[in-house]
Amino acid sequence: MQNHPNLQLNIAKKLDTLLVAEDNVSKATKFSINTRKIIKILNKWLEWFKIPTEQCPNFHFIRSRAAINLLIKRRAEQSVTENVWEDMVMSIVGENTTLKEHLIYKLMQQNDKETALKMVKMLNMIDFDVTKLNLTEEETDLENIADKDDLEDLSKEHLEMEDKSEHLMFNLSPSDIKYIDNAAKFDDFIKEILNCDVVGIDTEWKPHFGLSSERLALMQIAVRDKVYILDMVYLRDCLMPEHWDSFMKNLFGNSNIIKLGCGIMIDVQMIIDDCQGTKGKKIGFTHILDMSLFYKKLLDIYPDERYDEFREQNNIGLSKLCELILGLPLNKEERLCDWEKRPLAQSRLEYAALDALCLVQMFDKLKLNAAEKNMNFDHLVNVSMHLTVSQWKPKKRIRGVFFIFLYLFVFMRISLKECLY
């Protein structure tokens, strides 16, 4: 399958043709179609084989509409800034007239006429009359499915809400942010990182809402007195495979450096997928510590009744973890911004830098607390590092491809001949 791109595309397009009115599909196939299931399968197929969603117009439209609905909901919750919201909406809508009208319709449903009129002007909808919208129309089944369907996580924070006015601040100077955007700076960064014992790692990418493949925009690597921001938009084009081989070996394969993160194996998988090292070269990973998992381990061994509720949670987001350990949450208002847009404002550089720096600060704070309580900190770190890697499940698609074929050719009665031609 990997060596047959035409077959990959034809199967994707065949699935896309099923995303039409359910009545028509049922008549054509004589089988009950689970449209939500088709959306999930198609999403995986496009991701595995890196097929642009534009090749599947029905899927792309459904995803776009669902993304608009979700962004309107986030705006109503005030969990995203106005500028970021406008940028994201504009990038999704583009020049699609139907999506433009859907955006205005949804805003009017929210009784937000002021924003609707503003967007009409921004989207250059000269002849559009908002007063003629029928706001009592029932939504289609496909729209309801798309709304309920799990869009890709909009951030590693799972959009946790903050109602606090005070947040953790970046406490280094702007000159302590080292911006890496070419090969020479990258080589210097590799040399400098070898002298560190602990680094915090975080990544940023443009929210894609299932409309395009995920790709890194920034990689932040913090030490105690500075933060390196690797601009993947530029580095992706200027670095050779040897650069990435050196990066993976000297950082992730280095047992002298503890790599900290929150949900760090998600970041690691993103880095693996994006870094263009020598094809087939084996990557070694060692001394990787998920701070969320580590903190829960501490609570298990040294219970604190104040934090009992967090012991049962599968994941504690970075902002909440900062609040528990450092006393203040992170400000996550920029999480949905377009991280591929250049140049990056200083405020966004500091936002990104803090996401990595706070990991080192939390590690040092917990180490200090452990010393005061005579805890065996190093042992707990080693146990948690083992758990971090052991719970990681690298992406495997062979089994997934098999079950998709089973679904298509047995349950859906789609013949291989239909996909080949």
Side-chain angles (χ1 to χ4, degrees):
M1 177 58 68
Q2 188 65 47
N3 299 321
H4 299 280
N6 288 337
L7 181 56
Q8 296 165 15
L9 181 58
N10 287 340
I11 289 175
K13 288 184 174 181
K14 184 61 183 179
L15 284 167
D16 189 59
T17 61
L18 301 177
L19 298 178
V20 293
E22 286 198 64
D23 288 342
N24 294 336
V25 173
S26 299
K27 291 174 184 176
T29 65
K30 298 181 182 179
F31 287 95
S32 176
I33 300 297
N34 185 331
T35 309
R36 186 176 180 185
K37 186 73 172 178
I38 294 294
I39 291 173
K40 286 183 176 292
I41 288 174
L42 184 51
N43 184 57
K44 282 293 183 186
W45 193 267
L46 298 179
E47 177 188 343
W48 284 337
F49 298 113
K50 301 187 184 304
I51 300 171
T53 58
E54 289 81 2
Q55 295 283 356
C56 301
N58 296 322
F59 175 82
H60 186 81
F61 178 77
I62 291 169
R63 281 293 196 185
S64 298
R65 191 169 54 184
I68 291 170
N69 297 347
L70 190 55
L71 280 170
I72 289 175
K73 185 185 296 185
R74 297 305 173 214
R75 181 178 181 273
E77 296 168 348
Q78 298 183 333
S79 61
V80 59
T81 64
E82 193 69 14
N83 289 338
V84 168
W85 183 83
E86 288 176 3
D87 285 347
M88 287 291 97
V89 166
M90 295 285 282
S91 69
I92 292 168
V93 170
E95 296 301 319
N96 189 301
T97 301
T98 308
L99 289 177
K100 289 180 180 180
E101 293 178 358
H102 178 73
L103 170 64
I104 305 307
Y105 172 82
K106 282 293 184 180
L107 287 170
M108 291 296 289
Q109 268 196 332
Q110 298 280 329
N111 294 318
D112 193 350
K113 185 176 180 179
E114 182 180 350
T115 303
L117 292 172
K118 179 181 179 182
M119 295 309 298
V120 165
K121 185 175 181 180
M122 289 180 67
L123 293 168
N124 199 29
M125 300 168 70
I126 300 173
D127 299 323
F128 188 79
D129 186 355
V130 297
T131 62
K132 293 183 179 180
L133 282 174
N134 181 7
L135 300 180
T136 62
E137 285 183 2
E138 292 186 7
E139 296 174 337
T140 65
D141 288 338
L142 278 182
E143 181 164 336
N144 289 328
I145 289 169
D147 284 341
K148 294 174 185 175
D149 186 38
D150 296 326
L151 290 174
E152 301 296 326
D153 289 341
L154 301 187
S155 75
K156 293 179 292 270
E157 294 302 305
H158 303 289
L159 295 166
E160 48 183 45
M161 298 292 295
E162 303 288 358
D163 57 2
K164 296 179 180 295
S165 58
E166 294 185 25
H167 297 92
L168 193 67
M169 301 297 293
F170 184 71
N171 59 1
L172 302 179
S173 71
S175 62
D176 293 322
I177 297 177
K178 306 301 180 183
Y179 187 64
I180 314 297
D181 61 351
N182 61 47
K185 292 179 181 178
F186 187 84
D187 288 336
D188 291 340
F189 152 71
I190 294 294
K191 293 173 185 175
E192 292 174 20
I193 210 75
L194 291 173
N195 299 318
C196 304
D197 61 336
V198 175
V199 299
I201 299 175
D202 193 63
T203 57
E204 304 292 350
W205 58 85
K206 177 182 178 179
H208 61 98
F209 305 100
L211 298 173
S212 61
S213 299
E214 291 177 338
R215 68 173 192 169
L216 291 181
L218 297 179
M219 193 188 314
Q220 308 96 271
I221 300 178
V223 296
R224 291 182 175 89
D225 59 351
K226 63 175 71 75
V227 181
Y228 301 92
I229 293 189
L230 281 59
D231 192 330
M232 296 297 293
V233 173
Y234 295 125
L235 294 178
R236 190 177 285 111
D237 296 328
C238 72
L239 297 186
M240 303 297 290
E242 309 88 75
H243 288 105
W244 293 118
D245 292 344
S246 175
F247 170 75
M248 300 303 287
K249 176 185 175 182
N250 288 304
L251 182 59
F252 288 102
N254 191 336
S255 60
N256 295 319
I257 303 175
I258 297 176
K259 280 72 69 175
L260 310 173
C262 185
I264 189 171
M265 299 317 293
I266 295 175
D267 295 302
V268 169
Q269 186 67 63
M270 287 286 291
I271 293 167
I272 291 172
D273 291 345
D274 209 292
C275 293
Q276 302 166 359
T278 303
K279 192 172 183 180
K281 190 177 182 68
K282 189 174 181 180
I283 304 170
F285 296 94
T286 184
H287 287 66
I288 298 175
L289 179 62
D290 189 317
M291 288 297 292
S292 175
L293 189 153
F294 179 48
Y295 185 66
K296 287 174 63 181
K297 193 69 180 175
L298 283 173
L299 290 180
D300 286 341
I301 299 174
Y302 301 97
D304 187 328
E305 61 182 17
R306 292 174 298 173
Y307 307 128
D308 279 348
E309 61 180 293
F310 300 105
R311 293 172 60 190
E312 305 301 322
Q313 290 187 12
N314 290 330
N315 296 296
I316 304 175
L318 183 59
S319 180
K320 177 57 67 174
L321 201 61
C322 281
E323 184 177 0
L324 293 172
I325 300 172
L326 300 176
L328 289 173
L330 295 171
N331 185 338
K332 305 304 295 181
E333 288 184 341
E334 301 262 14
R335 62 188 166 224
L336 291 182
C337 76
D338 183 353
W339 288 103
E340 294 184 0
K341 190 175 181 179
R342 299 293 180 270
L344 285 165
Q346 183 62 33
S347 61
R348 288 190 179 174
L349 286 173
E350 293 186 7
Y351 173 99
L354 182 56
D355 277 0
L357 181 63
C358 69
L359 292 161
V360 180
Q361 294 173 338
M362 286 190 285
F363 182 84
D364 287 344
K365 177 73 177 292
L366 291 176
K367 188 172 184 177
L368 183 63
N369 292 346
E372 293 173 352
K373 298 178 181 178
N374 294 318
M375 295 181 189
N376 190 337
F377 186 78
D378 291 339
H379 173 69
L380 289 172
V381 167
N382 288 329
V383 170
S384 298
M385 286 193 297
H386 174 74
L387 288 173
T388 297
V389 177
S390 66
Q391 292 183 8
W392 179 40
K393 296 179 181 179
K395 287 183 179 178
K396 294 180 180 179
R397 66 186 182 199
I398 299 300
R399 187 179 177 188
V401 169
F402 170 77
F403 281 111
I404 286 179
F405 270 114
L406 183 67
Y407 186 84
L408 287 174
F409 303 134
V410 177
F411 297 104
M412 299 296 298
R413 302 299 198 272
I414 296 175
S415 70
L416 184 59
K417 184 178 179 180
E418 287 182 81
C419 296
L420 287 172
Y421 301 102

